[in-house]
Amino acid sequence: MKLDLNTINALADRLEDCQLQQQDTTKITDNHPDMDWDDAYAIQDEIRRRKMARGLRVIGLKAGLTSHAKMKQMGVSTPVFGFMTDDYAVPDGGECKVSELIHPKVEPEIAFVTKTDLRGPGCHIGAVLAATDFVMPGIEVIDSRYRDFKFDLKSVVADNTSAARFVVGGQPMRVMGADLRTVGIVLEKNGVPVAFGAGAAVMGHPAAAIAALANHLVERGEFIPAGTLILSGGITEAVSVKAGDNVTLRVQGMGSTSIRFV
């Protein structure tokens, strides 16, 4: 690690204040260009600690920047990982208040729910599928705290991978016998299709993102517990939203889920 504890705490404070006060900021590596991956995840961990100290619960994990489209859009080449607390959850068909966010975007995802623990190292697609209870449609609302959504990989890790809100729904589907690479999705905004894709857009197979998460966690002495909800990453480029928008995700064989922005 390159940053001392006081700096990590100050940066966590800055990023969470931006989230809570709906204010943006410049990316943190502007002032700390030498920070490393351990620093970035330490800042994220401190943000998580602060949320839990306020009584929030971690209810899921997420992989980010896992699709070729997202990597191209954000100018990066490596997946990142974060967490989701219970205040991020929106009920299926429920409302998301734009006034609580800075510059929200949505992305379509396939959500996994595990039935057994999943551990690295060496975790692979087959292990993920064997540990998966079911998959279902998920819409993630991302809201980078960085000005104009401009950041580098370490800055976005520190910012908990732009996590803000999410919704899951539809018809849960078992994974055995299904080919998640060829599962098609349509993202609609106000009844108009705005993005199309298939599961293979996420690292060739969405379960590969879950395996990468398990292999990342083992380096931190952690694992994916049974019963964990995991968003596997955006299948398409993120789509901007504003108050009045209604977004629906339709996933082949899994039905649909939706969210309204007010």
Side-chain angles (χ1 to χ4, degrees):
M1 292 179 66
K2 303 293 182 66
L3 303 181
D4 59 37
L5 184 59
N6 287 338
T7 302
I8 287 171
N9 288 339
L11 291 172
D13 204 26
R14 170 180 162 188
L15 289 172
E16 194 176 29
D17 280 349
C18 284
Q19 180 184 3
L20 296 175
Q21 298 172 16
Q22 300 85 50
Q23 296 178 346
D24 62 10
T25 185
T26 54
K27 65 182 187 295
I28 60 176
T29 51
D30 286 350
N31 295 322
H32 303 280
D34 296 329
M35 66 179 283
D36 60 22
W37 292 109
D38 289 336
D39 294 321
Y41 278 105
I43 295 166
Q44 183 188 122
D45 288 345
E46 176 60 19
I47 291 173
R48 178 172 59 181
R49 188 197 67 77
R50 290 170 184 234
K51 290 181 181 298
M52 294 177 68
R54 297 201 309 271
L56 297 174
R57 295 181 300 111
V58 174
I59 61 170
L61 302 174
K62 57 162 291 191
L65 306 184
T66 53
S67 75
H68 297 303
K70 281 291 294 181
M71 290 178 185
K72 180 180 179 181
Q73 182 184 22
M74 294 303 181
V76 297
S77 59
T78 308
V80 294
F81 306 101
F83 64 90
M84 302 179 295
T85 46
D86 51 351
D87 59 329
Y88 292 175
V90 176
D92 191 10
E95 296 181 348
C96 177
K97 294 181 179 179
V98 174
S99 61
E100 297 177 349
L101 305 173
I102 302 168
H103 40 200
K105 299 182 180 184
V106 295
E107 51 188 33
E109 312 208 7
I110 294 175
F112 286 67
V113 176
T114 59
K115 61 183 176 182
T116 58
D117 295 349
L118 194 56
R119 302 173 183 266
C123 187
H124 51 76
I125 291 173
V128 172
L129 296 178
T132 298
D133 191 5
F134 56 85
V135 291
M136 60 199 306
I139 299 171
E140 184 179 9
V141 181
I142 57 173
D143 190 37
S144 173
R145 270 54 72 170
Y146 298 119
R147 194 158 299 147
D148 300 322
F149 256 90
K150 293 181 178 178
F151 49 73
D152 55 48
L153 215 50
K154 291 169 186 172
S155 291
V156 77
V157 165
D159 188 33
N160 192 26
T161 65
S162 306
R165 301 287 187 275
F166 73 93
V167 60
V168 294
Q171 178 61 48
M173 185 176 79
R174 303 293 180 185
V175 295
M176 290 307 173
D179 186 354
L180 296 181
R181 298 170 301 172
T182 60
V183 167
I185 69 97
V186 179
L187 186 71
E188 299 174 356
K189 185 166 76 170
N190 303 323
V192 178
V194 292
F196 305 86
V202 176
M203 299 182 69
H205 193 301
I210 312 302
L213 172 60
N215 292 329
H216 161 77
L217 288 175
V218 73
E219 297 177 358
R220 299 161 56 81
E222 302 174 17
F223 64 96
I224 301 174
T228 300
L229 169 70
I230 312 160
L231 296 180
S232 58
I235 293 172
T236 70
E237 293 185 358
V239 175
S240 295
V241 290
K242 63 182 185 303
D245 287 338
N246 187 2
V247 176
T248 298
L249 171 62
R250 305 185 190 280
V251 182
Q252 182 182 3
M254 303 181 208
S256 65
T257 187
S258 64
I259 183 171
R260 292 178 290 126
F261 293 87
V262 298

